[in-house]
């Protein structure tokens, strides 16, 4: 029998070749690693050089580091000492015992009017607004220009920016905050729910966090909403009614705000007053409101949607003219007691209030349209829509007994008068010259 072939040499040769491949692979890997390290080091050196060239080195002592950071911070907010001077001048009251008020959402509809009213009577006013694009920012910029003409400075910033808020309170010891910044609208929540959480809840908490820590703590008046009454069917709405059945995300965030206000009042001694607005209208109003886009549609000859309930009833709302809302906001500020906390610690019981601010006289939407038709000299093309049975209340209006008792709030402007003033402003602002009655041309007094 033949002996099997000797394969030992072949096996040894294969092992040797495998060894050589491993050695070569290791050398290649080491070479690649060195090349990558050198390239990374070179890039890092270039970045360090560029950073050193563009930014001076910080001093070793912490005091200088703090001042360098502060200078960068104030520069980012508008120009260091010059910016601080502008902020301080705007917020300084011109009357004895006047208030120094931070107005958030200052270039919003209500914010603009309240800022002007406060400034007119001699209070110091500083505005804060982020100029978001929920509706036409050019309208907000026009309001900002109006405020600037009355020596009211508006800081372009967000209420979620804690360093900015802290800086503002460092520059100005505000006695009051009128917090009107919020994401408005009900339908928009279906498109962008996070904006409501960020602004109406997180933003409010951020403002309260900063306010609780400063000394002295400011008194805060803030905008809640009549929407918190949700599916409640009792009318007129009273502050004593239940508000635990919100019918929209917007309403839920406002209800959350009321509960959050209670918490910060209880724990930190912040004086807080919530105002539940009922459908505010007037010059410089919001384009997403019915009276505003009805006016636009009528002038353009477009159809408007008029809603009725399943049983044929007209939907009615408590339309509140802007001047009446301003009276309520200023009344709440004037009667707000001082916060009782210091350094984030409560020293005693603090004021906590909530009020309805409405006109107490609900008006059917059909009447609203009829008044606009008369003022614009044009018939509206109506598209009547039956509303689904979703618990919406056909008549909603406010019981303002508490507000009248506590600070004399009493609305005085009827819908016809208020819409006439709005139309005057609208045709002037948009430069419209159609069939609008001659006497509807705007005058400067109505524009503010």
């Amino acid at each position: 029998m033949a002996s099997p072939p000797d394969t030992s040499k072949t096996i040894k040769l294969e092992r040797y070749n495998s060894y050589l491949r491993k050695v070569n692979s290791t050398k290649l890997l080491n070479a690649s690693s060195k090349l990558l390290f050198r390239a990374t080091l070179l890039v890092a050196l270039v970045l360090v050089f560029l950073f050193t060239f563009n930014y001076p080195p910080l001093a070793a002592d912490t005091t200088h580091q703090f001042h360098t950071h502060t200078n960068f911070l104030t520069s980012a907010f508008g120009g260091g000492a010059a910016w601080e001077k502008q902020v301080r001048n705007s917020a300084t009251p011109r009357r004895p015992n006047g208030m120094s008020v931070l107005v958030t959402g200052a270039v919003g509809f209500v914010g603009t009017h309240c800022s002007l009213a406060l400034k007119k009577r001699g209070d110091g006013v500083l505005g804060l607004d982020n100029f978001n694009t929920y509706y036409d920012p050019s309208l907000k910029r026009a309001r900002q220009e109006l405020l600037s003409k009355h020596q009211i400075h508006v800081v372009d910033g967000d209420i979620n920016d804690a360093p900015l808020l802290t800086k503002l309170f460092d520059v100005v010891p505000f006695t009051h905050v009128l917090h009107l910044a919020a994401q408005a609208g009900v339908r928009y929540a279906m498109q962008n729910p996070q904006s409501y959480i960020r602004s109406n809840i997180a933003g409010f908490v951020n403002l309260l966090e900063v306010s609780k820590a400063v000394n002295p703590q400011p008194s805060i008046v803030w905008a809640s909403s009549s929407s918190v009454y949700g599916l409640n069917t009792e009318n007129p709405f009273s502050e004593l009614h239940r508000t635990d059945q919100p019918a929209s995300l917007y309403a839920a965030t406002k209800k959350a705000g009321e509960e959050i206000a209670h918490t910060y009042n209880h724990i930190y001694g912040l004086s807080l007053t919530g105002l539940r607005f009922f459908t505010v209208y007037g010059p410089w109003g919001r384009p997403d409101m019915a009276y505003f886009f009805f006016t636009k549609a009528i002038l353009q000859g477009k159809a408007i949607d008029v809603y009725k309930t399943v049983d044929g009833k007209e939907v009615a709302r408590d339309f509140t003219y802007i001047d009446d809302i301003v009276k309520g906001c200023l009344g709440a500020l004037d009667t707000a007691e001082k916060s009782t906390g210091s350094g984030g610690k409560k020293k005693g019981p603090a004021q906590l209030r909530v009020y309805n601010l409405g006109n107490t006289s609900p008006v059917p939407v059909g009447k609203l349209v009829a008044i606009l038709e008369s003022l614009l000299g044009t018939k509206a093309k109506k598209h009547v829509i039956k509303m689904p049975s979703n618990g919406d209340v056909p008549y909603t209006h406010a019981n303002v007994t508490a507000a009248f008792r506590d600070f004399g709030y009493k609305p005085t402007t009827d819908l016809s008068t208020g819409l006439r003033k709005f139309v005057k402003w609208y045709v002037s602002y948009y430069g419209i010259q159609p069939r609008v009655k001659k006497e509807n041309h705007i005058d400067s007094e109505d524009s503010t």
Side-chain angles (χ1 to χ4, degrees):
M1 172 182 260
S3 61
D6 185 6
T7 60
S8 60
K9 292 183 178 180
T10 302
I11 293 173
K12 289 180 180 180
L13 183 61
E14 288 180 354
R15 288 177 179 173
Y16 180 70
N17 289 334
S18 176
Y19 169 76
L20 289 179
R21 284 196 297 269
K22 288 181 180 179
V23 170
N24 290 332
S25 176
T26 302
K27 289 181 178 179
L28 181 61
L29 182 61
N30 289 337
S32 300
S33 299
K34 289 180 180 179
L35 181 61
L36 180 61
F37 172 75
R38 289 172 181 171
T40 303
L41 181 62
L42 179 62
V43 171
L45 289 173
V46 170
L47 290 175
V48 170
F49 173 77
L50 290 175
F51 183 83
T52 304
F53 180 78
N54 286 282
Y55 298 95
L58 296 177
D61 65 285
T62 56
T63 302
H64 184 75
Q65 287 182 8
F66 172 78
H67 287 301
T68 303
H69 174 71
T70 301
N71 289 336
F72 173 76
L73 193 66
T74 53
S75 296
F77 294 156
W83 177 83
E84 288 188 16
K85 182 178 180 181
Q86 190 175 27
V87 166
R88 197 174 289 112
N89 285 344
S90 183
T92 301
R94 307 301 178 191
R95 66 182 176 98
N97 301 316
M99 297 184 292
S100 180
V101 188
L102 173 64
V103 180
T104 71
V107 298
F109 175 31
V110 178
T112 296
H113 285 272
C114 285
S115 296
L116 290 170
L118 288 166
K119 197 73 172 183
K120 183 178 181 180
R121 72 179 196 177
D123 292 313
V125 181
L126 179 71
L128 175 67
D129 207 292
N130 67 357
F131 295 86
N132 67 38
T133 57
Y134 169 63
Y135 61 82
D136 185 6
S138 68
L139 178 57
K140 299 179 183 181
R141 293 296 178 184
R143 295 184 189 132
Q144 181 188 26
E145 185 178 347
L146 176 63
L147 294 176
S148 180
K149 289 178 181 178
H150 290 81
Q151 290 74 55
I152 299 172
H153 180 61
V154 179
V155 175
D156 191 339
D158 196 286
I159 55 172
N160 284 284
D161 189 342
L164 172 58
L165 285 178
T166 301
K167 180 63 183 177
L168 292 178
F169 275 96
D170 180 52
V171 175
V172 179
F174 294 105
T175 60
H176 295 75
V177 174
L178 180 57
H179 177 50
L180 302 171
Q183 177 58 62
V186 173
R187 296 180 182 86
Y188 185 60
M190 298 177 185
Q191 304 173 36
N192 191 359
Q194 293 300 328
S195 66
Y196 290 77
I197 306 302
R198 184 174 185 275
S199 182
N200 301 1
I201 297 179
F204 189 29
V205 169
N206 190 57
L207 174 66
L208 295 176
E209 278 291 303
V210 173
S211 298
K212 84 177 188 189
V214 299
N215 192 15
Q217 294 175 334
S219 302
I220 301 173
V221 175
W222 69 285
S224 184
S225 169
S226 60
S227 67
V228 299
Y229 291 109
L231 302 181
N232 173 39
T233 56
E234 297 182 74
N235 268 285
F237 289 148
S238 167
E239 293 90 345
L240 300 177
H241 289 170
R242 63 184 299 182
T243 55
D244 59 349
Q245 296 177 302
S248 67
L249 179 60
Y250 170 71
T253 60
K254 287 298 185 179
K255 172 60 178 175
E258 293 189 357
E259 300 305 319
I260 290 167
H262 178 275
T263 302
Y264 275 79
N265 167 268
H266 174 69
I267 298 176
Y268 303 110
L270 284 173
S271 172
L272 283 148
T273 302
L275 303 176
R276 295 172 178 170
F277 296 158
F278 283 72
T279 315
V280 189
Y281 73 100
W284 295 100
R286 277 174 30 206
D288 64 320
M289 300 296 287
Y291 72 95
F292 200 113
F293 61 74
F294 278 3
T295 299
K296 180 180 180 180
I298 292 172
L299 289 172
Q300 293 179 348
K302 297 180 180 178
I304 60 175
D305 293 335
V306 178
Y307 290 92
K308 289 189 176 183
T309 61
V310 288
D311 54 357
K313 291 182 180 179
E314 279 197 87
V315 174
R317 291 290 181 267
D318 193 353
F319 297 96
T320 316
Y321 187 62
I322 182 61
D323 287 0
D324 293 326
I325 289 294
V326 170
K327 291 175 188 175
C329 290
L330 268 60
L333 287 167
D334 290 338
T335 57
E337 297 175 1
K338 292 183 178 180
S339 294
T340 62
S342 178
K345 295 183 179 180
K346 182 179 179 180
K347 303 297 184 181
Q351 187 182 53
L352 179 66
R353 306 179 295 174
V354 62
Y355 295 106
N356 290 331
L357 289 189
N359 201 33
T360 72
S361 302
V363 177
V365 174
K367 182 177 180 180
L368 167 73
V369 174
I371 295 173
L372 288 175
E373 288 175 327
S374 175
L375 291 169
L376 298 171
T378 306
K379 292 294 291 182
K381 298 178 181 177
K382 303 172 190 175
H383 180 215
V384 179
I385 299 176
K386 289 284 184 72
M387 297 180 64
S389 181
N390 60 0
D392 190 19
V393 182
Y395 287 85
T396 60
H397 61 291
N399 182 334
V400 296
T401 303
F404 180 76
R405 178 191 66 232
D406 292 351
F407 52 87
Y409 173 75
K410 184 179 181 181
T412 58
T413 309
D414 64 86
L415 186 61
S416 295
T417 301
L419 286 178
R420 177 177 57 81
K421 292 182 178 181
F422 164 72
V423 168
K424 281 185 177 183
W425 169 81
Y426 186 95
V427 298
S428 175
Y429 181 79
Y430 290 102
I432 297 171
Q433 304 289 338
R435 308 181 188 90
V436 179
K437 296 178 181 178
K438 189 174 182 179
E439 62 268 23
N440 282 342
H441 289 303
I442 193 170
D443 54 49
S444 58
E445 183 179 352
D446 286 325
S447 68
T448 60

